[in-house]
Amino acid sequence: MSTDQILFGVALIVVLAVGSQVLASRLRIPALILLLPAGFTAGALTTDVNPERLLGAAFQPLVSLAVAVILYDAGLSLEWGKVAGRARHVVPRLVIWGVPVTMATTTVLAGPLLGMSAGAALMTGAILVVSGPTVVGPLLAFVRPSDRLQRILSWEGSLIDPVGGVLGAVVFHAVLASTSHGFAYQLGQFLISVGIGAAGAVVGGAVLWVCLCKLDLDGVLNTLCQLGCVVAVAAVCDIVRDDAGLIAAIFMGLAVANLRAFDVPARRPFFETLVQLIIGLMFVTISATVTPEALHHLVLPALGLVAVLVLVTRPLVAFFATIRTELPRGERTFVGWMAPRGIVAAATASTFGAELAAHRIGGAANILPVTFLVIVATVALYGLTAVPAARRLGVTRSTRSRPLLVGGDPWVIDLARAFRATGLDVLMWTPSDGQRSQIEQASLELAAGEQLGAAIAQGTAIDGVTTVLLLTGEDHYNALAATTLSGNSDTPLYRLAPSHGTAASHVAGEPLFTPALNHAALTARYTAGARITTHSSDGGIPPATDLLFLINAEGTLIPVTTSPPPRPQPGDTQVLLGRAGNETPQ
């Protein structure tokens, strides 16, 4: 290829990867629905975007390393402590049942439906067991299911990807060798790969601990160290054993997320942006390798395979994985309706399918086209039906605001009661044992101390909380919490205006109410007899009151800040502070 062709091909791939995600966000659909057709169309129109021509032999190793980075990032978001109760049994069951049942179903059907030999059918079965965070994560963000359901499906997708990748490598070598070794031998090979990956993760985890916890690096160097360590460990593990790098990457991510020795911010803007770009580039480039000629005779058979996987296999796996658990029927059903295939399936099909075809394994040339069609069909099907299915099953999160009130003074408890009276789900926290007892006596939900402590220390979001209100009488605590949370969490937060001086006037978090309505003033007015009430906005703001919050008809909490106050609309509910005696307006 000429320099101009390479420049054009690289630029087109990047534009398609970014443009598809931007357009999908505007259309409010999962980006994968656009990424795959975009890459396929570009590959059909020009060979300049074919990654095998652009990168040659470097393409497959780069895909493997890119998948390792994606799996590491997925592992960072998985905290086992947040999977509570019997739901903890669901995740391993989904992997234990899902892998053999899906592989067996696909292997049995691939021969008669797709005209594959036994070896190619077995390879296809191993490839299609995976799901993955690259598809499950965006779909769940689009659907917004309950927190428990999101954790279960995220854990399953992240764990089954490296398992499927290693399984694919074991089956690939078995098919090439036409081995007569039995199940015990293949299981041993699989466990060897897992062991090598785990050993690599231990070494990588130790290096990350030094970089992240001992060297006091800034945010950019922190991210670069993670990226360099993941790529290096994954490369070495892949050299020792095919696809063992995927095991190492996910284990490293899980270690950083779950071991107390690590202190990594919840938000990693650069790393998240990099992963998002990698996902887009990989879907575009891999789909560009599929030609229209390879698909025309496989569309109907592949759709038949998808129908069985979606309507029979996945519901069966979900039934056995969730039986005798605390999951309600709606959540169990939704688990059975969420198993899209993603980038790991495409990457392994691209690698192993071409190699098996080169060795003249019957039907191996159909592995990548079939995998492409399964990915497109499952992503489109689940992407277009998951939202209405979740709503019908009643497993989506409430669209109403869920504020966290930090503080335990009597007026704060009264404010929480007012929010609850309007139908909001309220969460409270305070460091004072006496105030915690008063909150419990008021039958208000109290956040666990360690949960909020972790949120304040690391900036991690508290499950389901949409707004944080810092209402304590300690200006410096409010300022510290606001600064920490604003730097690491997307959750909107507000704090009281400082009571003493201006030390906390320039910190993060938008100040609530007017500057005169600080903690001291609110406490004094409440002690003098002022009370917090709610009132319909249809008649305007009642006299002798101060507007604190608006709650619109959709249940969205709108705080009054030092910015221009919100204008009450018909149907809104006003949260007001009355005045005591002859008190003048603030």
Side-chain angles (χ1 to χ4, degrees):
M1 296 181 67
S2 66
T3 301
D4 290 346
Q5 288 176 312
I6 294 174
L7 289 173
F8 175 76
V10 171
L12 182 58
I13 289 171
V14 173
V15 168
L16 291 176
V18 175
S20 296
Q21 296 183 65
V22 172
L23 180 59
S25 69
R26 303 298 299 173
L27 297 177
R28 299 186 61 82
I29 60 174
L32 303 181
I33 294 179
L34 299 182
L35 284 168
L36 292 171
F40 174 73
T41 303
L45 295 177
T46 175
T47 59
D48 291 344
V49 296
N50 190 312
E52 294 172 348
R53 295 191 67 211
L54 285 171
L55 301 173
F59 174 58
Q60 296 301 341
L62 288 175
V63 167
S64 180
L65 295 178
V67 172
V69 172
I70 293 171
L71 290 180
Y72 171 77
D73 181 68
L76 289 177
S77 65
L78 300 176
E79 295 184 46
W80 188 242
K82 292 184 177 180
V83 184
R86 292 188 177 180
R88 288 192 170 205
H89 302 303
V90 176
V91 174
R93 285 182 185 178
L94 284 171
V95 177
I96 292 170
W97 280 99
V99 170
V101 173
T102 304
M103 183 174 178
T105 303
T106 305
T107 301
V108 170
L109 294 177
L113 281 179
L114 305 170
M116 292 182 175
S117 64
L122 187 63
M123 188 74 255
T124 305
I127 289 171
L128 294 182
V129 302
V130 300
S131 178
T134 59
V135 284
V136 174
L139 285 178
L140 293 180
F142 189 68
V143 175
R144 298 186 75 250
S146 64
D147 292 328
R148 175 172 57 188
L149 198 54
Q150 177 147 354
R151 291 192 200 104
I152 289 172
L153 292 171
S154 297
W155 267 93
E156 180 206 8
S158 297
L159 290 181
I160 207 169
D161 260 7
V163 170
V166 173
L167 178 64
V170 172
V171 171
F172 169 73
H173 291 296
V175 171
L176 279 186
S178 299
T179 179
S180 59
H181 295 291
F183 173 77
Y185 175 82
Q186 301 302 336
L187 178 61
Q189 295 300 304
F190 176 81
L191 293 177
I192 290 173
S193 297
V194 173
I196 293 172
V202 171
V203 175
V207 174
L208 285 175
W209 178 76
V210 173
C211 294
L212 304 183
C213 303
K214 295 298 181 181
L215 297 184
D216 193 26
L217 303 175
D218 61 27
V220 174
L221 289 177
N222 184 303
T223 299
L224 290 177
C225 283
Q226 292 181 71
L227 181 62
C229 186
V230 171
V231 170
V233 170
V236 171
C237 290
D238 278 347
I239 292 171
V240 176
R241 187 83 176 180
D242 286 342
D243 280 351
L246 303 184
I247 292 286
I250 189 68
F251 281 178
M252 289 169 64
L254 291 174
V256 173
N258 290 275
L259 297 181
R260 293 184 178 181
F262 291 95
D263 183 13
V264 178
R267 288 184 62 205
R268 306 169 301 278
F270 175 76
F271 206 89
E272 293 166 357
T273 302
L274 177 65
V275 169
Q276 197 70 18
L277 178 61
I278 289 174
I279 291 172
L281 294 176
M282 289 185 66
F283 273 112
V284 170
T285 53
I286 291 178
S287 58
T289 64
V290 180
T291 63
E293 294 78 15
L295 295 180
H296 73 276
H297 65 289
L298 294 173
V299 173
L300 291 180
L303 291 179
L305 175 62
V306 169
V308 175
L309 293 175
V310 169
L311 299 177
V312 179
T313 305
R314 178 61 181 186
L316 186 65
V317 169
F319 173 79
F320 285 111
T322 60
I323 195 171
R324 295 180 182 177
T325 64
E326 62 188 16
L327 268 65
R329 183 176 181 180
E331 293 187 0
R332 294 179 63 192
T333 304
F334 189 78
V335 169
W337 192 251
M338 183 55 62
R341 272 57 178 180
I343 196 63
V344 173
T348 52
S350 176
T351 302
F352 299 142
E355 285 290 327
L356 292 179
H359 285 79
R360 299 186 179 182
I361 302 297
N366 293 336
I367 291 177
L368 178 58
V370 167
T371 303
F372 174 80
L373 290 171
V374 171
I375 294 173
V376 172
T378 55
V379 168
L381 177 64
Y382 292 126
L384 297 176
T385 63
V387 171
R391 289 174 179 167
R392 185 175 182 84
L393 294 171
V395 298
T396 56
R397 297 181 207 167
S398 172
T399 58
R400 300 178 69 85
S401 294
R402 190 193 189 205
L404 167 65
L405 281 63
V406 181
D409 293 287
W411 68 267
V412 178
I413 295 176
D414 204 15
L415 177 62
R417 285 197 186 102
F419 286 160
R420 188 175 61 180
T422 66
L424 298 186
D425 182 16
V426 182
L427 187 64
M428 296 191 70
W429 186 83
T430 177
S432 168
D433 291 336
Q435 291 179 342
R436 292 172 72 87
S437 298
Q438 293 174 3
I439 291 171
E440 291 174 340
Q441 291 172 8
S443 300
L444 294 165
E445 184 178 356
L446 195 61
E450 62 274 10
Q451 186 181 26
L452 188 74
I456 298 300
Q458 300 182 18
T460 55
I462 297 177
D463 292 331
V465 169
T466 59
T467 307
V468 177
L469 304 176
L470 300 170
L471 307 175
T472 75
E474 300 291 335
D475 293 340
H476 293 295
Y477 175 85
N478 292 344
L480 175 62
T483 300
T484 305
L485 287 171
S486 66
N488 297 288
S489 173
D490 292 324
T491 305
L493 62 95
Y494 303 86
R495 58 181 174 84
L496 291 174
S499 299
H500 306 290
T502 60
S505 60
H506 301 292
V507 299
E510 195 167 359
L512 286 166
F513 320 136
T514 64
L517 277 179
N518 53 34
H519 184 273
L522 288 163
T523 301
R525 287 178 60 173
Y526 193 86
T527 303
R531 291 295 178 264
I532 295 174
T533 60
T534 59
H535 188 273
S536 172
S537 66
D538 294 343
I541 301 176
T545 60
D546 288 307
L547 178 65
L548 303 181
F549 298 90
L550 277 179
I551 302 172
N552 65 21
E554 289 75 33
T556 302
L557 182 67
I558 307 172
V560 174
T561 65
T562 53
S563 302
R567 295 182 179 180
Q569 302 294 325
D572 291 351
T573 299
Q574 305 172 33
V575 180
L576 307 164
L577 176 66
R579 299 198 182 101
N582 295 323
E583 182 185 357
T584 57
Q586 298 293 322

